[in-house]
Structures are given as structure tokens and as C-alpha cells.
């Protein structure tokens, strides 16, 4: 899989009415089953989250509020997605480096993960990730 197809946009439905906001996302269980949920918020100015790759874990990033950048690499090229539209979630396949940067003060990112937390699934050094990618090909 290449850097252009590793991210899929998923439409979040907006059911907002006079009572307030309500948003939903249907997940196709043929492609993704949720075993873990976590969220990131109150990230300081210039702080970077992520900075790792997962060997097998797939994730869906759901912007709840605010703006932030999702930066992806395949070990050679980079892609920067500025997330400022709370009507789109981003499904990221395993095997790609990711960084989350430039969080606005009010940014909240909900993350759905396809597996339980496992430190052995992480690659936390970019050099190591590049070597891992070459061996995977
Ligand atoms: P880390 O992977 O550094 O977070 P980020 O991807 O945002 O940079 O995780 C920070 C700490 O939280 C680390 O000690 C592992 C722990 N953690 C869990 O215990 N469960 C989880 O689901 C996640 C994502 C992290």
C-alpha cells in the first residue's frame, strides 16, 4: 500500500438540530473492528503527538473539535493533512509513520484502534521505521 491509499476519508453525519449537535459515524466491520478508544486533548502549543508507526494496528482519527495536522510518511515521502472539518474522519492503515502537530487550543482528537494497547506493535524511531519498511516490501 502506498502513501496515497493509506488514508481513507470517512464521512461523519451531522444530525444537529435545534437541541444541539449530534454526529455519527458508521463503521464497516468487514474492514475495522474497534477494540480500543482513546482521545487526545489539551495539547500544548508546538507539542507533537504520535511520532511512531504501528506494525499491525489500524486507526480511525475523529476530529471532535478544533484543528490539527495529521502528518504521514511511508519512509520516503510525507503527506500533510490539515484537519479542520469535523465532518470527516480519517482511517489510517497499519505500517505508516504518523505525527499529530499544530493543535489548536480547543482541539480534541478521538482515536478508534483495531486492537488493544501493545507497545510491541510500535516503532518509535524513524530510522528503524525506514529499515522496517524496506524489509516489508
Ligand atoms: P504515546 O504512544 O506516547 O501517545 P501519543 O501517540 O499521543 O504520542 O502514549 C503515551 C502513554 O500512554 C504511554 O505511556 C502509553 C500510554 N497509552 C496507553 O496506556 N494506552 C493507550 O491506548 C495509548 C494510546 C497510550
Amino acid at each position: 500500500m502506498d502513501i496515497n491509499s493509506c488514508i481513507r476519508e470517512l464521512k461523519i453525519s451531522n444530525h444537529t438540530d435545534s437541541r444541539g449537535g449530534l454526529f455519527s459515524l458508521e463503521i464497516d466491520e468487514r474492514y475495522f473492528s474497534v477494540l480500543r478508544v482513546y482521545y487526545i486533548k489539551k495539547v500544548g502549543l508546538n507539542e507533537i503527538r504520535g511520532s511512531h508507526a504501528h506494525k499491525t494496528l489500524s486507526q480511525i482519527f475523529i476530529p471532535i473539535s478544533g484543528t490539527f495536522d495529521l502528518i504521514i510518511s511511508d519512509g520516503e515521502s510525507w503527506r500533510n493533512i490539515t484537519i479542520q472539518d469535523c465532518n470527516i474522519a480519517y482511517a489510517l492503515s497499519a505500517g505508516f509513520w504518523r505525527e499529530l502537530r499544530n493543535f489548536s487550543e480547543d482541539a480534541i482528537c478521538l482515536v478508534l484502534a483495531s486492537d488493544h494497547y501493545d507497545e510491541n506493535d510500535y516503532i518509535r524511531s524513524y530510522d528503524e521505521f525506514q529499515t522496517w519498511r524496506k524489509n516489508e516490501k
Side-chain angles (χ1 to χ4, degrees):
M1 186 180 293
D2 67 23
I3 195 157
N4 294 314
S5 45
C6 70
I7 284 251
R8 272 187 311 129
E9 291 189 2
L10 308 174
K11 180 95 187 72
I12 296 174
S13 301
N14 185 344
H15 310 281
T16 299
D17 61 22
S18 59
R19 297 169 296 171
L22 193 155
F23 302 84
S24 67
L25 173 64
E26 298 284 336
I27 295 174
D28 190 330
E29 70 270 24
R30 284 173 302 174
Y31 303 113
F32 196 94
S33 52
V34 181
L35 290 188
R36 179 163 52 102
V37 173
Y38 64 93
Y39 52 94
I40 297 167
K41 65 177 194 173
K42 293 189 177 171
V43 180
L45 201 67
N46 300 324
E47 295 291 352
I48 303 168
R49 305 292 324 203
S51 283
H52 58 246
H54 284 287
K55 296 173 197 162
T56 62
L57 187 80
S58 305
Q59 289 173 301
I60 299 177
F61 295 86
I62 304 177
I64 303 293
S65 67
T67 63
F68 56 93
D69 289 341
L70 174 59
I71 296 152
I72 307 295
S73 175
D74 59 3
E76 288 168 16
S77 47
W78 293 80
R79 248 182 96 182
N80 187 348
I81 300 164
T82 296
I83 297 181
Q84 50 196 355
D85 178 355
C86 288
N87 295 312
I88 300 170
Y90 294 85
L92 175 61
S93 302
F96 290 85
W97 186 263
R98 84 285 313 276
E99 296 175 7
L100 297 162
R101 293 174 180 257
N102 301 323
F103 284 85
S104 62
E105 224 175 275
D106 58 345
I108 301 177
C109 177
L110 178 68
V111 186
L112 310 183
S114 63
D115 211 342
H116 298 293
Y117 179 78
D118 176 10
E119 188 57 37
N120 294 321
D121 192 61
Y122 282 72
I123 305 170
R124 291 191 182 272
S125 137
Y126 191 73
D127 285 352
E128 244 177 70
F129 168 65
Q130 287 179 304
T131 307
W132 179 83
R133 280 287 299 192
K134 280 182 194 134
N135 294 334
E136 283 295 292
K137 278 180 186 168

